[in-house]
Structure formats: structure tokens, C-alpha cells
Amino acid sequence: MSADTFWSALALVLVIEGILPFVSPGGWRRGFGQLMQLRDGQLRFFGLCSILLGLILLWILA
């Protein structure tokens, strides 16, 4: 993986992460508040699912 690919991927993540708070700040705030109420185990599960989904997508696209 080249440095350009890494920085492009990071920039794309930042763009995607910024869309929801830009478009719907109130909805983002409510959603974030609900995330704060989850237990650590639940957050880890969602994090693991996100990691696995990302790896599967990378494997499919590569």
C-alpha cells in the first residue's frame, strides 16, 4: 500500500464521518447520545463488526 493510498483512504473516512453531523446535527447528537449509553461490551461488538465488514470489503475489492 502506497502512502498516497493511505492518505486518500484517511481523507475519505473523514469526509464520510463528517457528512451526518453536517447534514443533521440534531440527529447526530441524538445518535451519539444513544451510543454513550451502551455498555463497553456492546460498543466493542459494534467495533468488531465494523472491522470485519471493512476487511471483507477490502478483500472483495482487492
Side-chain angles (χ1 to χ4, degrees):
M1 176 170 73
S2 70
D4 288 338
T5 303
F6 173 78
W7 290 113
S8 296
L10 182 61
L12 186 57
V13 166
L14 292 173
V15 168
I16 292 170
E17 288 280 331
I19 289 174
L20 189 57
F22 178 75
V23 173
S24 178
W28 182 85
R29 189 175 289 117
R30 284 189 300 277
F32 192 76
Q34 290 176 347
L35 282 174
M36 295 300 293
Q37 294 175 1
L38 294 176
R39 294 179 304 225
D40 287 350
Q42 292 171 311
L43 286 173
R44 283 192 178 107
F45 175 75
F46 286 119
L48 177 63
C49 289
S50 178
I51 290 168
L52 292 175
L53 180 61
L55 288 173
I56 289 168
L57 285 172
L58 284 172
W59 181 67
I60 290 170
L61 295 173

XYZ file of all heavy atoms in Angstrom:
485
model
N 0.852 -1.174 0.000
C 0.000 0.000 0.000
C 0.897 1.236 0.000
O 1.773 1.374 0.837
C -0.898 -0.009 1.230
C -1.746 1.229 1.339
S -3.027 1.179 2.590
C -2.117 1.313 4.079
N 0.637 2.129 -0.921
C 1.453 3.339 -1.000
C 0.943 4.387 -0.018
O -0.176 4.313 0.478
C 1.420 3.897 -2.419
O 0.143 4.430 -2.703
N 1.781 5.360 0.245
C 1.403 6.437 1.162
C 0.228 7.231 0.601
O -0.647 7.666 1.359
C 2.596 7.345 1.422
N 0.196 7.418 -0.709
C -0.917 8.152 -1.319
C -2.240 7.440 -1.100
O -3.263 8.072 -0.818
C -0.684 8.334 -2.826
C 0.410 9.334 -3.131
O 0.707 10.183 -2.255
O 0.964 9.273 -4.242
N -2.235 6.122 -1.205
C -3.452 5.348 -0.981
C -3.903 5.481 0.465
O -5.090 5.662 0.735
C -3.219 3.860 -1.319
O -2.773 3.758 -2.668
C -4.476 3.055 -1.133
N -2.962 5.398 1.391
C -3.291 5.533 2.809
C -3.923 6.892 3.099
O -4.966 6.980 3.752
C -2.045 5.334 3.673
C -2.283 5.635 5.116
C -2.933 4.724 5.930
C -1.870 6.837 5.670
C -3.163 5.004 7.264
C -2.099 7.136 6.996
C -2.743 6.207 7.807
N -3.299 7.965 2.624
C -3.814 9.303 2.908
C -5.149 9.549 2.201
O -6.020 10.241 2.732
C -2.779 10.364 2.554
C -1.614 10.334 3.495
C -0.333 9.992 3.197
C -1.634 10.615 4.898
N 0.444 10.045 4.325
C -0.322 10.424 5.390
C -2.616 11.005 5.792
C 0.016 10.618 6.724
C -2.281 11.188 7.130
C -0.982 11.000 7.578
N -5.316 8.976 1.029
C -6.605 9.096 0.329
C -7.704 8.378 1.105
O -8.818 8.889 1.238
C -6.514 8.513 -1.076
O -5.617 9.254 -1.855
N -7.394 7.200 1.623
C -8.369 6.449 2.414
C -8.720 7.203 3.691
O -9.897 7.277 4.072
C -7.832 5.065 2.738
N -7.730 7.766 4.352
C -7.978 8.533 5.570
C -8.835 9.762 5.274
O -9.775 10.078 6.021
C -6.655 8.947 6.214
C -6.771 9.721 7.526
C -7.464 8.897 8.586
C -5.390 10.146 7.995
N -8.551 10.447 4.175
C -9.345 11.611 3.791
C -10.789 11.217 3.508
O -11.729 11.912 3.907
C -8.731 12.284 2.565
N -10.991 10.080 2.853
C -12.340 9.611 2.556
C -13.097 9.268 3.837
O -14.290 9.571 3.966
C -12.278 8.399 1.633
C -13.602 7.878 1.106
C -14.362 8.969 0.360
C -13.367 6.682 0.199
N -12.426 8.666 4.805
C -13.052 8.369 6.097
C -13.509 9.662 6.765
O -14.624 9.747 7.295
C -12.082 7.591 7.016
C -12.582 7.568 8.448
C -11.889 6.188 6.506
N -12.664 10.688 6.744
C -13.027 11.966 7.356
C -14.219 12.604 6.658
O -15.101 13.168 7.315
C -11.825 12.910 7.348
C -10.671 12.498 8.260
C -9.474 13.417 8.028
C -11.089 12.505 9.709
N -14.272 12.519 5.344
C -15.412 13.066 4.599
C -16.689 12.329 4.983
O -17.718 12.940 5.296
C -15.163 12.978 3.072
C -16.438 13.258 2.305
C -14.068 13.938 2.659
N -16.626 10.996 4.994
C -17.807 10.205 5.326
C -18.246 10.461 6.765
O -19.440 10.603 7.048
C -17.536 8.707 5.069
C -17.391 8.474 3.563
C -18.636 7.835 5.646
C -16.883 7.104 3.199
N -17.296 10.539 7.688
C -17.617 10.798 9.090
C -18.250 12.180 9.281
O -19.029 12.371 10.198
C -16.348 10.702 9.944
C -15.823 9.319 10.122
C -16.563 8.530 11.183
O -17.086 9.152 12.129
O -16.608 7.302 11.054
N -17.913 13.128 8.433
C -18.418 14.480 8.597
C -19.763 14.739 7.944
O -20.399 15.765 8.204
N -20.238 13.823 7.115
C -21.491 14.059 6.389
C -22.679 14.167 7.335
O -23.465 15.111 7.247
C -21.719 12.955 5.330
C -20.727 13.131 4.193
C -23.152 13.001 4.792
C -20.760 12.004 3.169
N -22.845 13.206 8.250
C -24.026 13.204 9.115
C -24.089 14.420 10.037
O -25.134 15.070 10.111
C -24.103 11.907 9.926
C -25.399 11.712 10.695
C -26.615 11.749 9.767
C -25.372 10.412 11.451
N -23.004 14.791 10.753
C -23.119 15.997 11.581
C -23.347 17.272 10.761
O -23.961 18.218 11.242
C -21.795 16.069 12.335
C -20.958 14.959 11.880
C -21.750 14.102 10.964
N -22.890 17.288 9.518
C -23.113 18.462 8.674
C -24.569 18.538 8.219
O -25.189 19.591 8.253
C -22.185 18.421 7.457
C -22.385 19.574 6.517
C -21.907 20.832 6.843
C -23.058 19.409 5.318
C -22.094 21.905 5.979
C -23.250 20.468 4.457
C -22.768 21.722 4.789
N -25.124 17.402 7.797
C -26.475 17.368 7.244
C -27.523 17.426 8.349
O -28.534 18.118 8.213
C -26.658 16.098 6.378
C -28.094 15.929 5.934
C -25.741 16.148 5.174
N -27.307 16.694 9.435
C -28.306 16.609 10.503
C -27.629 16.633 11.869
O -27.486 15.592 12.518
C -29.120 15.320 10.336
O -30.053 15.190 11.377
N -27.242 17.809 12.341
C -26.534 17.872 13.619
C -27.373 17.373 14.799
O -26.861 16.721 15.698
C -26.165 19.342 13.788
C -26.838 20.078 12.705
C -27.357 19.110 11.711
N -28.683 17.645 14.774
C -29.542 17.179 15.865
C -29.648 15.664 15.888
O -29.587 15.038 16.948
N -29.821 15.066 14.720
C -29.883 13.607 14.637
C -28.570 12.969 15.041
O -28.552 11.934 15.713
N -27.482 13.595 14.653
C -26.161 13.082 15.028
C -25.986 13.135 16.533
O -25.488 12.188 17.141
C -25.072 13.888 14.329
C -23.691 13.403 14.615
C -23.018 12.400 13.986
C -22.809 13.895 15.632
N -21.779 12.245 14.540
C -21.621 13.143 15.550
C -22.916 14.896 16.591
C -20.550 13.366 16.397
C -21.849 15.110 17.429
C -20.680 14.361 17.330
N -26.410 14.233 17.145
C -26.291 14.398 18.597
C -27.120 13.346 19.336
O -26.671 12.744 20.309
C -26.722 15.800 19.004
C -26.424 16.128 20.442
C -26.748 17.575 20.782
N -25.794 18.474 20.148
C -26.114 19.387 19.228
N -27.346 19.536 18.834
N -25.186 20.151 18.706
N -28.353 13.098 18.849
C -29.202 12.077 19.475
C -28.578 10.686 19.326
O -28.553 9.908 20.279
C -30.600 12.096 18.861
C -31.463 13.246 19.349
C -32.906 13.097 18.874
N -33.028 13.076 17.413
C -33.062 14.148 16.637
N -32.986 15.347 17.171
N -33.184 14.027 15.325
N -28.093 10.389 18.141
C -27.457 9.092 17.911
C -26.220 8.906 18.769
O -25.988 7.833 19.330
N -25.415 9.947 18.874
C -24.210 9.872 19.693
C -24.578 9.693 21.161
O -23.921 8.950 21.893
C -23.359 11.126 19.500
C -21.979 11.007 20.074
C -21.013 10.271 19.421
C -21.655 11.615 21.268
C -19.737 10.157 19.954
C -20.393 11.495 21.808
C -19.426 10.768 21.151
N -25.648 10.362 21.598
C -26.118 10.202 22.976
C -26.537 8.772 23.263
O -26.279 8.240 24.346
N -27.176 8.136 22.290
C -27.566 6.739 22.463
C -26.338 5.833 22.513
O -26.313 4.860 23.272
C -28.500 6.305 21.342
C -29.874 6.958 21.437
C -30.763 6.598 20.261
O -30.293 6.068 19.257
N -32.042 6.900 20.382
N -25.325 6.141 21.714
C -24.080 5.359 21.766
C -23.417 5.464 23.130
O -22.848 4.492 23.626
C -23.102 5.837 20.695
C -23.354 5.380 19.275
C -22.383 6.063 18.325
C -23.224 3.878 19.164
N -23.498 6.631 23.751
C -22.876 6.839 25.051
C -23.536 5.997 26.135
O -22.938 5.732 27.170
C -22.908 8.318 25.440
C -22.072 9.210 24.533
S -20.334 8.767 24.512
C -19.876 9.161 26.169
N -24.774 5.567 25.907
C -25.490 4.775 26.901
C -25.204 3.280 26.777
O -25.588 2.501 27.650
C -26.991 5.028 26.781
C -27.363 6.449 27.134
C -28.833 6.731 26.910
O -29.585 5.872 26.502
N -29.229 7.967 27.179
N -24.539 2.861 25.713
C -24.215 1.449 25.532
C -23.085 1.034 26.465
O -22.215 1.838 26.812
C -23.806 1.170 24.086
C -24.869 1.348 23.015
C -24.272 1.115 21.636
C -26.046 0.420 23.246
N -23.102 -0.225 26.852
C -22.017 -0.756 27.682
C -20.781 -0.989 26.819
O -20.867 -1.040 25.594
C -22.466 -2.059 28.332
C -23.588 -1.864 29.342
C -23.981 -3.199 29.913
N -24.335 -4.085 28.796
C -25.384 -4.871 28.763
N -26.179 -4.936 29.784
N -25.637 -5.616 27.719
N -19.650 -1.156 27.476
C -18.388 -1.356 26.763
C -18.444 -2.570 25.848
O -17.942 -2.538 24.727
C -17.231 -1.513 27.751
C -16.843 -0.213 28.419
O -17.338 0.849 27.980
O -16.051 -0.259 29.377
N -19.027 -3.655 26.316
C -19.120 -4.868 25.513
C -19.924 -4.655 24.236
O -19.575 -5.187 23.179
N -20.993 -3.879 24.337
C -21.808 -3.598 23.163
C -21.040 -2.747 22.161
O -21.100 -2.987 20.953
C -23.103 -2.890 23.576
C -24.048 -3.771 24.365
C -25.202 -2.987 24.940
O -25.021 -1.949 25.559
N -26.403 -3.506 24.742
N -20.311 -1.763 22.650
C -19.505 -0.918 21.761
C -18.404 -1.739 21.086
O -18.132 -1.562 19.897
C -18.889 0.245 22.531
C -19.843 1.364 22.918
C -19.143 2.364 23.832
C -20.394 2.054 21.696
N -17.787 -2.628 21.851
C -16.747 -3.483 21.265
C -17.320 -4.383 20.175
O -16.681 -4.619 19.150
C -16.101 -4.332 22.349
C -15.129 -3.557 23.189
C -14.285 -4.486 24.057
N -13.324 -3.713 24.809
C -13.418 -3.479 26.107
N -14.409 -3.973 26.806
N -12.504 -2.747 26.707
N -18.539 -4.901 20.397
C -19.177 -5.750 19.402
C -19.404 -4.981 18.111
O -19.105 -5.467 17.019
C -20.495 -6.308 19.933
C -21.261 -7.089 18.912
C -20.855 -8.360 18.561
C -22.371 -6.537 18.288
C -21.557 -9.090 17.602
C -23.073 -7.254 17.335
C -22.666 -8.535 16.992
N -19.934 -3.755 18.209
C -20.152 -2.951 17.013
C -18.837 -2.578 16.345
O -18.738 -2.534 15.119
C -20.969 -1.692 17.339
C -22.415 -1.979 17.598
C -22.981 -1.686 18.821
C -23.215 -2.548 16.624
C -24.321 -1.957 19.071
C -24.553 -2.821 16.849
C -25.106 -2.527 18.079
N -17.811 -2.316 17.148
C -16.493 -2.048 16.585
C -15.942 -3.249 15.840
O -15.389 -3.121 14.745
N -16.097 -4.434 16.427
C -15.639 -5.661 15.775
C -16.396 -5.899 14.474
O -15.793 -6.250 13.449
C -15.813 -6.856 16.711
C -15.450 -8.224 16.136
C -13.970 -8.276 15.770
C -15.807 -9.318 17.125
N -17.704 -5.689 14.488
C -18.498 -5.856 13.260
C -18.030 -4.889 12.180
O -17.932 -5.254 11.011
C -19.981 -5.639 13.556
S -20.730 -6.957 14.528
N -17.729 -3.660 12.567
C -17.244 -2.665 11.618
C -15.895 -3.071 11.031
O -15.671 -2.958 9.821
C -17.129 -1.312 12.321
O -16.618 -0.343 11.466
N -14.998 -3.568 11.883
C -13.690 -4.025 11.412
C -13.850 -5.175 10.431
O -13.238 -5.186 9.353
C -12.806 -4.448 12.604
C -12.401 -3.226 13.417
C -11.566 -5.205 12.127
C -11.770 -3.580 14.756
N -14.667 -6.163 10.792
C -14.854 -7.327 9.923
C -15.481 -6.936 8.593
O -15.069 -7.421 7.541
C -15.706 -8.382 10.634
C -15.050 -9.059 11.826
C -16.034 -9.996 12.512
C -13.789 -9.787 11.411
N -16.466 -6.055 8.623
C -17.096 -5.593 7.392
C -16.081 -4.875 6.508
O -16.026 -5.101 5.297
C -18.282 -4.685 7.688
C -19.039 -4.137 6.490
C -19.631 -5.277 5.668
C -20.128 -3.199 6.944
N -15.260 -4.026 7.108
C -14.228 -3.329 6.346
C -13.219 -4.287 5.726
O -12.827 -4.130 4.568
N -12.807 -5.288 6.502
C -11.855 -6.273 5.960
C -12.465 -7.083 4.833
O -11.799 -7.368 3.834
C -11.379 -7.195 7.086
C -10.425 -6.568 8.105
C -10.169 -7.535 9.249
C -9.131 -6.145 7.436
N -13.726 -7.449 4.983
C -14.410 -8.205 3.912
C -14.504 -7.359 2.642
O -14.234 -7.826 1.535
C -15.793 -8.676 4.377
C -15.644 -9.784 5.428
C -16.632 -9.185 3.214
C -16.917 -10.130 6.159
N -14.855 -6.079 2.800
C -14.935 -5.195 1.633
C -13.566 -5.031 0.972
O -13.462 -5.050 -0.256
C -15.501 -3.834 2.030
C -16.993 -3.785 2.280
C -17.398 -2.428 2.852
C -17.754 -4.061 1.004
N -12.525 -4.873 1.779
C -11.178 -4.769 1.212
C -10.802 -6.035 0.459
O -10.178 -5.986 -0.596
C -10.157 -4.484 2.307
C -10.115 -3.073 2.836
C -9.195 -2.991 4.049
C -9.668 -2.107 1.764
N -11.140 -7.188 1.022
C -10.820 -8.466 0.384
C -11.565 -8.617 -0.951
O -10.995 -9.063 -1.937
C -11.179 -9.601 1.340
C -10.877 -10.951 0.809
C -9.651 -11.470 0.556
C -11.830 -11.949 0.441
N -9.778 -12.749 0.067
C -11.106 -13.072 -0.001
C -13.209 -12.019 0.478
C -11.736 -14.229 -0.426
C -13.831 -13.173 0.060
C -13.099 -14.253 -0.387
N -12.835 -8.192 -0.965
C -13.629 -8.283 -2.190
C -13.092 -7.333 -3.263
O -12.999 -7.693 -4.431
C -15.119 -7.993 -1.910
C -15.723 -9.143 -1.091
C -15.912 -7.771 -3.182
C -17.112 -8.859 -0.561
N -12.718 -6.141 -2.850
C -12.286 -5.119 -3.814
C -10.844 -5.309 -4.276
O -10.468 -4.776 -5.320
C -12.437 -3.725 -3.206
C -13.883 -3.319 -2.920
C -13.912 -1.994 -2.151
C -14.685 -3.214 -4.204
N -10.055 -6.051 -3.520
C -8.637 -6.218 -3.881
C -8.419 -7.266 -4.938
O -9.165 -8.054 -5.301
C -7.820 -6.577 -2.645
